[in-house]
mmCIF file with all atom_site columns, all heavy atoms in Angstrom:
data_model
loop_
_atom_site.group_PDB
_atom_site.id
_atom_site.type_symbol
_atom_site.label_atom_id
_atom_site.label_alt_id
_atom_site.label_comp_id
_atom_site.label_asym_id
_atom_site.label_entity_id
_atom_site.label_seq_id
_atom_site.pdbx_PDB_ins_code
_atom_site.Cartn_x
_atom_site.Cartn_y
_atom_site.Cartn_z
_atom_site.occupancy
_atom_site.B_iso_or_equiv
_atom_site.pdbx_formal_charge
_atom_site.auth_seq_id
_atom_site.auth_comp_id
_atom_site.auth_asym_id
_atom_site.auth_atom_id
_atom_site.pdbx_PDB_model_num
ATOM 1   N N   . MET A 1 105 ? 31.079 -251.341 -4.642  1.00 85.00 ? 877 MET A N   1
ATOM 2   C CA  . MET A 1 105 ? 30.908 -250.764 -5.974  1.00 85.00 ? 877 MET A CA  1
ATOM 3   C C   . MET A 1 105 ? 29.448 -250.366 -6.187  1.00 85.00 ? 877 MET A C   1
ATOM 4   O O   . MET A 1 105 ? 28.527 -251.074 -5.778  1.00 85.00 ? 877 MET A O   1
ATOM 5   C CB  . MET A 1 105 ? 31.323 -251.774 -7.051  1.00 85.00 ? 877 MET A CB  1
ATOM 6   C CG  . MET A 1 105 ? 32.750 -252.281 -6.907  1.00 85.00 ? 877 MET A CG  1
ATOM 7   S SD  . MET A 1 105 ? 33.989 -250.965 -7.023  1.00 85.00 ? 877 MET A SD  1
ATOM 8   C CE  . MET A 1 105 ? 33.784 -250.451 -8.723  1.00 85.00 ? 877 MET A CE  1
ATOM 9   N N   . SER A 1 106 ? 29.251 -249.246 -6.844  1.00 85.00 ? 878 SER A N   1
ATOM 10  C CA  . SER A 1 106 ? 27.897 -248.750 -7.084  1.00 85.00 ? 878 SER A CA  1
ATOM 11  C C   . SER A 1 106 ? 27.178 -249.633 -8.103  1.00 85.00 ? 878 SER A C   1
ATOM 12  O O   . SER A 1 106 ? 27.751 -250.020 -9.113  1.00 85.00 ? 878 SER A O   1
ATOM 13  C CB  . SER A 1 106 ? 27.961 -247.309 -7.604  1.00 85.00 ? 878 SER A CB  1
ATOM 14  O OG  . SER A 1 106 ? 26.674 -246.880 -8.007  1.00 85.00 ? 878 SER A OG  1
ATOM 15  N N   . PRO A 1 107 ? 25.912 -249.951 -7.841  1.00 85.00 ? 879 PRO A N   1
ATOM 16  C CA  . PRO A 1 107 ? 25.149 -250.732 -8.829  1.00 85.00 ? 879 PRO A CA  1
ATOM 17  C C   . PRO A 1 107 ? 24.603 -249.874 -9.962  1.00 85.00 ? 879 PRO A C   1
ATOM 18  O O   . PRO A 1 107 ? 24.038 -250.407 -10.912 1.00 85.00 ? 879 PRO A O   1
ATOM 19  C CB  . PRO A 1 107 ? 24.011 -251.319 -7.986  1.00 85.00 ? 879 PRO A CB  1
ATOM 20  C CG  . PRO A 1 107 ? 23.796 -250.312 -6.906  1.00 85.00 ? 879 PRO A CG  1
ATOM 21  C CD  . PRO A 1 107 ? 25.143 -249.710 -6.610  1.00 85.00 ? 879 PRO A CD  1
ATOM 22  N N   . TYR A 1 108 ? 24.746 -248.556 -9.865  1.00 88.00 ? 880 TYR A N   1
ATOM 23  C CA  . TYR A 1 108 ? 24.179 -247.670 -10.878 1.00 88.00 ? 880 TYR A CA  1
ATOM 24  C C   . TYR A 1 108 ? 25.193 -247.420 -11.992 1.00 88.00 ? 880 TYR A C   1
ATOM 25  O O   . TYR A 1 108 ? 26.366 -247.788 -11.899 1.00 88.00 ? 880 TYR A O   1
ATOM 26  C CB  . TYR A 1 108 ? 23.758 -246.342 -10.237 1.00 88.00 ? 880 TYR A CB  1
ATOM 27  C CG  . TYR A 1 108 ? 22.836 -246.509 -9.056  1.00 88.00 ? 880 TYR A CG  1
ATOM 28  C CD1 . TYR A 1 108 ? 23.272 -246.210 -7.758  1.00 88.00 ? 880 TYR A CD1 1
ATOM 29  C CD2 . TYR A 1 108 ? 21.541 -246.988 -9.221  1.00 88.00 ? 880 TYR A CD2 1
ATOM 30  C CE1 . TYR A 1 108 ? 22.444 -246.379 -6.659  1.00 88.00 ? 880 TYR A CE1 1
ATOM 31  C CE2 . TYR A 1 108 ? 20.701 -247.156 -8.129  1.00 88.00 ? 880 TYR A CE2 1
ATOM 32  C CZ  . TYR A 1 108 ? 21.154 -246.847 -6.856  1.00 88.00 ? 880 TYR A CZ  1
ATOM 33  O OH  . TYR A 1 108 ? 20.335 -247.030 -5.778  1.00 88.00 ? 880 TYR A OH  1
ATOM 34  N N   . SER A 1 109 ? 24.758 -246.757 -13.027 1.00 83.00 ? 881 SER A N   1
ATOM 35  C CA  . SER A 1 109 ? 25.618 -246.417 -14.161 1.00 83.00 ? 881 SER A CA  1
ATOM 36  C C   . SER A 1 109 ? 25.463 -244.928 -14.481 1.00 83.00 ? 881 SER A C   1
ATOM 37  O O   . SER A 1 109 ? 24.578 -244.252 -13.945 1.00 83.00 ? 881 SER A O   1
ATOM 38  C CB  . SER A 1 109 ? 25.263 -247.274 -15.387 1.00 83.00 ? 881 SER A CB  1
ATOM 39  O OG  . SER A 1 109 ? 23.904 -247.060 -15.745 1.00 83.00 ? 881 SER A OG  1
ATOM 40  N N   . GLY A 1 110 ? 26.344 -244.471 -15.364 1.00 86.00 ? 882 GLY A N   1
ATOM 41  C CA  . GLY A 1 110 ? 26.257 -243.080 -15.783 1.00 86.00 ? 882 GLY A CA  1
ATOM 42  C C   . GLY A 1 110 ? 26.645 -242.122 -14.669 1.00 86.00 ? 882 GLY A C   1
ATOM 43  O O   . GLY A 1 110 ? 27.423 -242.450 -13.773 1.00 86.00 ? 882 GLY A O   1
ATOM 44  N N   . PHE A 1 111 ? 26.078 -240.921 -14.741 1.00 89.00 ? 883 PHE A N   1
ATOM 45  C CA  . PHE A 1 111 ? 26.414 -239.898 -13.747 1.00 89.00 ? 883 PHE A CA  1
ATOM 46  C C   . PHE A 1 111 ? 25.999 -240.328 -12.343 1.00 89.00 ? 883 PHE A C   1
ATOM 47  O O   . PHE A 1 111 ? 26.718 -240.085 -11.375 1.00 89.00 ? 883 PHE A O   1
ATOM 48  C CB  . PHE A 1 111 ? 25.727 -238.584 -14.118 1.00 89.00 ? 883 PHE A CB  1
ATOM 49  C CG  . PHE A 1 111 ? 25.969 -237.480 -13.109 1.00 89.00 ? 883 PHE A CG  1
ATOM 50  C CD1 . PHE A 1 111 ? 27.171 -236.780 -13.102 1.00 89.00 ? 883 PHE A CD1 1
ATOM 51  C CD2 . PHE A 1 111 ? 25.010 -237.177 -12.152 1.00 89.00 ? 883 PHE A CD2 1
ATOM 52  C CE1 . PHE A 1 111 ? 27.403 -235.784 -12.162 1.00 89.00 ? 883 PHE A CE1 1
ATOM 53  C CE2 . PHE A 1 111 ? 25.232 -236.178 -11.217 1.00 89.00 ? 883 PHE A CE2 1
ATOM 54  C CZ  . PHE A 1 111 ? 26.437 -235.479 -11.227 1.00 89.00 ? 883 PHE A CZ  1
ATOM 55  N N   . GLN A 1 112 ? 24.834 -241.006 -12.259 1.00 90.00 ? 884 GLN A N   1
ATOM 56  C CA  . GLN A 1 112 ? 24.373 -241.463 -10.947 1.00 90.00 ? 884 GLN A CA  1
ATOM 57  C C   . GLN A 1 112 ? 25.370 -242.455 -10.343 1.00 90.00 ? 884 GLN A C   1
ATOM 58  O O   . GLN A 1 112 ? 25.682 -242.387 -9.149  1.00 90.00 ? 884 GLN A O   1
ATOM 59  C CB  . GLN A 1 112 ? 22.998 -242.103 -11.072 1.00 90.00 ? 884 GLN A CB  1
ATOM 60  C CG  . GLN A 1 112 ? 22.409 -242.520 -9.729  1.00 90.00 ? 884 GLN A CG  1
ATOM 61  C CD  . GLN A 1 112 ? 21.072 -243.233 -9.883  1.00 90.00 ? 884 GLN A CD  1
ATOM 62  O OE1 . GLN A 1 112 ? 20.663 -243.577 -10.991 1.00 90.00 ? 884 GLN A OE1 1
ATOM 63  N NE2 . GLN A 1 112 ? 20.380 -243.435 -8.784  1.00 90.00 ? 884 GLN A NE2 1
ATOM 64  N N   . GLY A 1 113 ? 25.869 -243.350 -11.174 1.00 89.00 ? 885 GLY A N   1
ATOM 65  C CA  . GLY A 1 113 ? 26.844 -244.313 -10.682 1.00 89.00 ? 885 GLY A CA  1
ATOM 66  C C   . GLY A 1 113 ? 28.145 -243.646 -10.259 1.00 89.00 ? 885 GLY A C   1
ATOM 67  O O   . GLY A 1 113 ? 28.750 -244.021 -9.248  1.00 89.00 ? 885 GLY A O   1
ATOM 68  N N   . TRP A 1 114 ? 28.594 -242.652 -11.045 1.00 91.00 ? 886 TRP A N   1
ATOM 69  C CA  . TRP A 1 114 ? 29.831 -241.926 -10.700 1.00 91.00 ? 886 TRP A CA  1
ATOM 70  C C   . TRP A 1 114 ? 29.681 -241.217 -9.354  1.00 91.00 ? 886 TRP A C   1
ATOM 71  O O   . TRP A 1 114 ? 30.561 -241.309 -8.488  1.00 91.00 ? 886 TRP A O   1
ATOM 72  C CB  . TRP A 1 114 ? 30.149 -240.929 -11.797 1.00 91.00 ? 886 TRP A CB  1
ATOM 73  C CG  . TRP A 1 114 ? 31.294 -240.020 -11.490 1.00 91.00 ? 886 TRP A CG  1
ATOM 74  C CD1 . TRP A 1 114 ? 32.623 -240.314 -11.571 1.00 91.00 ? 886 TRP A CD1 1
ATOM 75  C CD2 . TRP A 1 114 ? 31.194 -238.659 -11.045 1.00 91.00 ? 886 TRP A CD2 1
ATOM 76  N NE1 . TRP A 1 114 ? 33.377 -239.242 -11.201 1.00 91.00 ? 886 TRP A NE1 1
ATOM 77  C CE2 . TRP A 1 114 ? 32.524 -238.196 -10.873 1.00 91.00 ? 886 TRP A CE2 1
ATOM 78  C CE3 . TRP A 1 114 ? 30.143 -237.792 -10.784 1.00 91.00 ? 886 TRP A CE3 1
ATOM 79  C CZ2 . TRP A 1 114 ? 32.797 -236.898 -10.448 1.00 91.00 ? 886 TRP A CZ2 1
ATOM 80  C CZ3 . TRP A 1 114 ? 30.425 -236.507 -10.362 1.00 91.00 ? 886 TRP A CZ3 1
ATOM 81  C CH2 . TRP A 1 114 ? 31.729 -236.078 -10.199 1.00 91.00 ? 886 TRP A CH2 1
ATOM 82  N N   . ALA A 1 115 ? 28.543 -240.511 -9.194  1.00 90.00 ? 887 ALA A N   1
ATOM 83  C CA  . ALA A 1 115 ? 28.343 -239.783 -7.939  1.00 90.00 ? 887 ALA A CA  1
ATOM 84  C C   . ALA A 1 115 ? 28.185 -240.747 -6.759  1.00 90.00 ? 887 ALA A C   1
ATOM 85  O O   . ALA A 1 115 ? 28.729 -240.512 -5.673  1.00 90.00 ? 887 ALA A O   1
ATOM 86  C CB  . ALA A 1 115 ? 27.102 -238.885 -8.063  1.00 90.00 ? 887 ALA A CB  1
ATOM 87  N N   . HIS A 1 116 ? 27.452 -241.838 -6.993  1.00 92.00 ? 888 HIS A N   1
ATOM 88  C CA  . HIS A 1 116 ? 27.256 -242.803 -5.904  1.00 92.00 ? 888 HIS A CA  1
ATOM 89  C C   . HIS A 1 116 ? 28.578 -243.471 -5.519  1.00 92.00 ? 888 HIS A C   1
ATOM 90  O O   . HIS A 1 116 ? 28.842 -243.719 -4.342  1.00 92.00 ? 888 HIS A O   1
ATOM 91  C CB  . HIS A 1 116 ? 26.232 -243.853 -6.347  1.00 92.00 ? 888 HIS A CB  1
ATOM 92  C CG  . HIS A 1 116 ? 25.827 -244.773 -5.236  1.00 92.00 ? 888 HIS A CG  1
ATOM 93  N ND1 . HIS A 1 116 ? 25.741 -246.139 -5.385  1.00 92.00 ? 888 HIS A ND1 1
ATOM 94  C CD2 . HIS A 1 116 ? 25.503 -244.512 -3.938  1.00 92.00 ? 888 HIS A CD2 1
ATOM 95  C CE1 . HIS A 1 116 ? 25.375 -246.686 -4.235  1.00 92.00 ? 888 HIS A CE1 1
ATOM 96  N NE2 . HIS A 1 116 ? 25.214 -245.729 -3.352  1.00 92.00 ? 888 HIS A NE2 1
ATOM 97  N N   . GLN A 1 117 ? 29.419 -243.747 -6.514  1.00 90.00 ? 889 GLN A N   1
ATOM 98  C CA  . GLN A 1 117 ? 30.711 -244.363 -6.212  1.00 90.00 ? 889 GLN A CA  1
ATOM 99  C C   . GLN A 1 117 ? 31.595 -243.421 -5.403  1.00 90.00 ? 889 GLN A C   1
ATOM 100 O O   . GLN A 1 117 ? 32.304 -243.848 -4.477  1.00 90.00 ? 889 GLN A O   1
ATOM 101 C CB  . GLN A 1 117 ? 31.422 -244.745 -7.518  1.00 90.00 ? 889 GLN A CB  1
ATOM 102 C CG  . GLN A 1 117 ? 32.684 -245.567 -7.298  1.00 90.00 ? 889 GLN A CG  1
ATOM 103 C CD  . GLN A 1 117 ? 32.378 -246.879 -6.602  1.00 90.00 ? 889 GLN A CD  1
ATOM 104 O OE1 . GLN A 1 117 ? 31.574 -247.669 -7.074  1.00 90.00 ? 889 GLN A OE1 1
ATOM 105 N NE2 . GLN A 1 117 ? 32.999 -247.121 -5.452  1.00 90.00 ? 889 GLN A NE2 1
ATOM 106 N N   . LEU A 1 118 ? 31.541 -242.127 -5.742  1.00 90.00 ? 890 LEU A N   1
ATOM 107 C CA  . LEU A 1 118 ? 32.294 -241.153 -4.951  1.00 90.00 ? 890 LEU A CA  1
ATOM 108 C C   . LEU A 1 118 ? 31.814 -241.146 -3.501  1.00 90.00 ? 890 LEU A C   1
ATOM 109 O O   . LEU A 1 118 ? 32.618 -241.077 -2.565  1.00 90.00 ? 890 LEU A O   1
ATOM 110 C CB  . LEU A 1 118 ? 32.139 -239.758 -5.563  1.00 90.00 ? 890 LEU A CB  1
ATOM 111 C CG  . LEU A 1 118 ? 32.991 -239.431 -6.787  1.00 90.00 ? 890 LEU A CG  1
ATOM 112 C CD1 . LEU A 1 118 ? 32.650 -238.040 -7.286  1.00 90.00 ? 890 LEU A CD1 1
ATOM 113 C CD2 . LEU A 1 118 ? 34.471 -239.533 -6.456  1.00 90.00 ? 890 LEU A CD2 1
ATOM 114 N N   . TRP A 1 119 ? 30.504 -241.228 -3.340  1.00 91.00 ? 891 TRP A N   1
ATOM 115 C CA  . TRP A 1 119 ? 29.954 -241.249 -1.982  1.00 91.00 ? 891 TRP A CA  1
ATOM 116 C C   . TRP A 1 119 ? 30.383 -242.496 -1.232  1.00 91.00 ? 891 TRP A C   1
ATOM 117 O O   . TRP A 1 119 ? 30.785 -242.438 -0.067  1.00 91.00 ? 891 TRP A O   1
ATOM 118 C CB  . TRP A 1 119 ? 28.428 -241.163 -2.051  1.00 91.00 ? 891 TRP A CB  1
ATOM 119 C CG  . TRP A 1 119 ? 27.760 -241.400 -0.731  1.00 91.00 ? 891 TRP A CG  1
ATOM 120 C CD1 . TRP A 1 119 ? 27.096 -242.533 -0.326  1.00 91.00 ? 891 TRP A CD1 1
ATOM 121 C CD2 . TRP A 1 119 ? 27.710 -240.507 0.390   1.00 91.00 ? 891 TRP A CD2 1
ATOM 122 N NE1 . TRP A 1 119 ? 26.634 -242.391 0.947   1.00 91.00 ? 891 TRP A NE1 1
ATOM 123 C CE2 . TRP A 1 119 ? 26.995 -241.158 1.426   1.00 91.00 ? 891 TRP A CE2 1
ATOM 124 C CE3 . TRP A 1 119 ? 28.195 -239.219 0.607   1.00 91.00 ? 891 TRP A CE3 1
ATOM 125 C CZ2 . TRP A 1 119 ? 26.760 -240.564 2.650   1.00 91.00 ? 891 TRP A CZ2 1
ATOM 126 C CZ3 . TRP A 1 119 ? 27.962 -238.622 1.845   1.00 91.00 ? 891 TRP A CZ3 1
ATOM 127 C CH2 . TRP A 1 119 ? 27.252 -239.293 2.840   1.00 91.00 ? 891 TRP A CH2 1
ATOM 128 N N   . LEU A 1 120 ? 30.316 -243.651 -1.908  1.00 90.00 ? 892 LEU A N   1
ATOM 129 C CA  . LEU A 1 120 ? 30.729 -244.896 -1.254  1.00 90.00 ? 892 LEU A CA  1
ATOM 130 C C   . LEU A 1 120 ? 32.201 -244.852 -0.863  1.00 90.00 ? 892 LEU A C   1
ATOM 131 O O   . LEU A 1 120 ? 32.583 -245.287 0.232   1.00 90.00 ? 892 LEU A O   1
ATOM 132 C CB  . LEU A 1 120 ? 30.476 -246.082 -2.189  1.00 90.00 ? 892 LEU A CB  1
ATOM 133 C CG  . LEU A 1 120 ? 29.013 -246.434 -2.484  1.00 90.00 ? 892 LEU A CG  1
ATOM 134 C CD1 . LEU A 1 120 ? 28.937 -247.586 -3.466  1.00 90.00 ? 892 LEU A CD1 1
ATOM 135 C CD2 . LEU A 1 120 ? 28.276 -246.778 -1.198  1.00 90.00 ? 892 LEU A CD2 1
ATOM 136 N N   . ASP A 1 121 ? 33.025 -244.315 -1.750  1.00 89.00 ? 893 ASP A N   1
ATOM 137 C CA  . ASP A 1 121 ? 34.462 -244.253 -1.447  1.00 89.00 ? 893 ASP A CA  1
ATOM 138 C C   . ASP A 1 121 ? 34.749 -243.312 -0.283  1.00 89.00 ? 893 ASP A C   1
ATOM 139 O O   . ASP A 1 121 ? 35.514 -243.636 0.622   1.00 89.00 ? 893 ASP A O   1
ATOM 140 C CB  . ASP A 1 121 ? 35.244 -243.796 -2.685  1.00 89.00 ? 893 ASP A CB  1
ATOM 141 C CG  . ASP A 1 121 ? 35.312 -244.887 -3.736  1.00 89.00 ? 893 ASP A CG  1
ATOM 142 O OD1 . ASP A 1 121 ? 35.088 -246.066 -3.395  1.00 89.00 ? 893 ASP A OD1 1
ATOM 143 O OD2 . ASP A 1 121 ? 35.587 -244.559 -4.903  1.00 89.00 ? 893 ASP A OD2 1
ATOM 144 N N   . SER A 1 122 ? 34.153 -242.130 -0.352  1.00 89.00 ? 894 SER A N   1
ATOM 145 C CA  . SER A 1 122 ? 34.480 -241.107 0.642   1.00 89.00 ? 894 SER A CA  1
ATOM 146 C C   . SER A 1 122 ? 33.930 -241.439 2.022   1.00 89.00 ? 894 SER A C   1
ATOM 147 O O   . SER A 1 122 ? 34.368 -240.857 3.014   1.00 89.00 ? 894 SER A O   1
ATOM 148 C CB  . SER A 1 122 ? 33.937 -239.743 0.191   1.00 89.00 ? 894 SER A CB  1
ATOM 149 O OG  . SER A 1 122 ? 32.523 -239.793 0.064   1.00 89.00 ? 894 SER A OG  1
ATOM 150 N N   . THR A 1 123 ? 32.970 -242.356 2.106   1.00 90.00 ? 895 THR A N   1
ATOM 151 C CA  . THR A 1 123 ? 32.416 -242.735 3.407   1.00 90.00 ? 895 THR A CA  1
ATOM 152 C C   . THR A 1 123 ? 32.928 -244.092 3.885   1.00 90.00 ? 895 THR A C   1
ATOM 153 O O   . THR A 1 123 ? 32.425 -244.620 4.876   1.00 90.00 ? 895 THR A O   1
ATOM 154 C CB  . THR A 1 123 ? 30.882 -242.776 3.338   1.00 90.00 ? 895 THR A CB  1
ATOM 155 O OG1 . THR A 1 123 ? 30.480 -243.664 2.284   1.00 90.00 ? 895 THR A OG1 1
ATOM 156 C CG2 . THR A 1 123 ? 30.308 -241.396 3.085   1.00 90.00 ? 895 THR A CG2 1
ATOM 157 N N   . SER A 1 124 ? 33.886 -244.654 3.171   1.00 88.00 ? 896 SER A N   1
ATOM 158 C CA  . SER A 1 124 ? 34.388 -245.977 3.556   1.00 88.00 ? 896 SER A CA  1
ATOM 159 C C   . SER A 1 124 ? 35.571 -245.851 4.512   1.00 88.00 ? 896 SER A C   1
ATOM 160 O O   . SER A 1 124 ? 36.337 -244.875 4.475   1.00 88.00 ? 896 SER A O   1
ATOM 161 C CB  . SER A 1 124 ? 34.819 -246.757 2.307   1.00 88.00 ? 896 SER A CB  1
ATOM 162 O OG  . SER A 1 124 ? 35.943 -246.148 1.713   1.00 88.00 ? 896 SER A OG  1
ATOM 163 N N   . ALA A 1 125 ? 35.715 -246.878 5.358   1.00 87.00 ? 897 ALA A N   1
ATOM 164 C CA  . ALA A 1 125 ? 36.865 -246.913 6.273   1.00 87.00 ? 897 ALA A CA  1
ATOM 165 C C   . ALA A 1 125 ? 38.165 -247.038 5.499   1.00 87.00 ? 897 ALA A C   1
ATOM 166 O O   . ALA A 1 125 ? 39.195 -246.489 5.897   1.00 87.00 ? 897 ALA A O   1
ATOM 167 C CB  . ALA A 1 125 ? 36.706 -248.083 7.240   1.00 87.00 ? 897 ALA A CB  1
ATOM 168 N N   . ARG A 1 126 ? 38.128 -247.747 4.378   1.00 88.00 ? 898 ARG A N   1
ATOM 169 C CA  . ARG A 1 126 ? 39.337 -247.918 3.565   1.00 88.00 ? 898 ARG A CA  1
ATOM 170 C C   . ARG A 1 126 ? 39.874 -246.576 3.085   1.00 88.00 ? 898 ARG A C   1
ATOM 171 O O   . ARG A 1 126 ? 41.088 -246.337 3.100   1.00 88.00 ? 898 ARG A O   1
ATOM 172 C CB  . ARG A 1 126 ? 39.001 -248.816 2.366   1.00 88.00 ? 898 ARG A CB  1
ATOM 173 C CG  . ARG A 1 126 ? 40.087 -248.859 1.312   1.00 88.00 ? 898 ARG A CG  1
ATOM 174 C CD  . ARG A 1 126 ? 39.690 -249.761 0.169   1.00 88.00 ? 898 ARG A CD  1
ATOM 175 N NE  . ARG A 1 126 ? 40.615 -249.623 -0.933  1.00 88.00 ? 898 ARG A NE  1
ATOM 176 C CZ  . ARG A 1 126 ? 40.603 -250.383 -2.006  1.00 88.00 ? 898 ARG A CZ  1
ATOM 177 N NH1 . ARG A 1 126 ? 39.727 -251.358 -2.110  1.00 88.00 ? 898 ARG A NH1 1
ATOM 178 N NH2 . ARG A 1 126 ? 41.471 -250.200 -2.985  1.00 88.00 ? 898 ARG A NH2 1
ATOM 179 N N   . PHE A 1 127 ? 38.974 -245.686 2.671   1.00 91.00 ? 899 PHE A N   1
ATOM 180 C CA  . PHE A 1 127 ? 39.401 -244.390 2.153   1.00 91.00 ? 899 PHE A CA  1
ATOM 181 C C   . PHE A 1 127 ? 40.093 -243.576 3.241   1.00 91.00 ? 899 PHE A C   1
ATOM 182 O O   . PHE A 1 127 ? 41.194 -243.044 3.042   1.00 91.00 ? 899 PHE A O   1
ATOM 183 C CB  . PHE A 1 127 ? 38.174 -243.637 1.627   1.00 91.00 ? 899 PHE A CB  1
ATOM 184 C CG  . PHE A 1 127 ? 38.480 -242.252 1.145   1.00 91.00 ? 899 PHE A CG  1
ATOM 185 C CD1 . PHE A 1 127 ? 38.972 -242.047 -0.126  1.00 91.00 ? 899 PHE A CD1 1
ATOM 186 C CD2 . PHE A 1 127 ? 38.278 -241.152 1.972   1.00 91.00 ? 899 PHE A CD2 1
ATOM 187 C CE1 . PHE A 1 127 ? 39.259 -240.766 -0.578  1.00 91.00 ? 899 PHE A CE1 1
ATOM 188 C CE2 . PHE A 1 127 ? 38.561 -239.874 1.537   1.00 91.00 ? 899 PHE A CE2 1
ATOM 189 C CZ  . PHE A 1 127 ? 39.049 -239.683 0.252   1.00 91.00 ? 899 PHE A CZ  1
#
Side-chain angles (χ1 to χ4, degrees):
M877 303 299 294
S878 172
Y880 306 111
S881 59
F883 177 79
Q884 184 183 10
W886 173 79
H888 188 225
Q889 188 61 56
L890 281 177
W891 171 256
L892 292 178
D893 287 341
S894 61
T895 56
S896 67
R898 169 180 170 173
F899 176 83

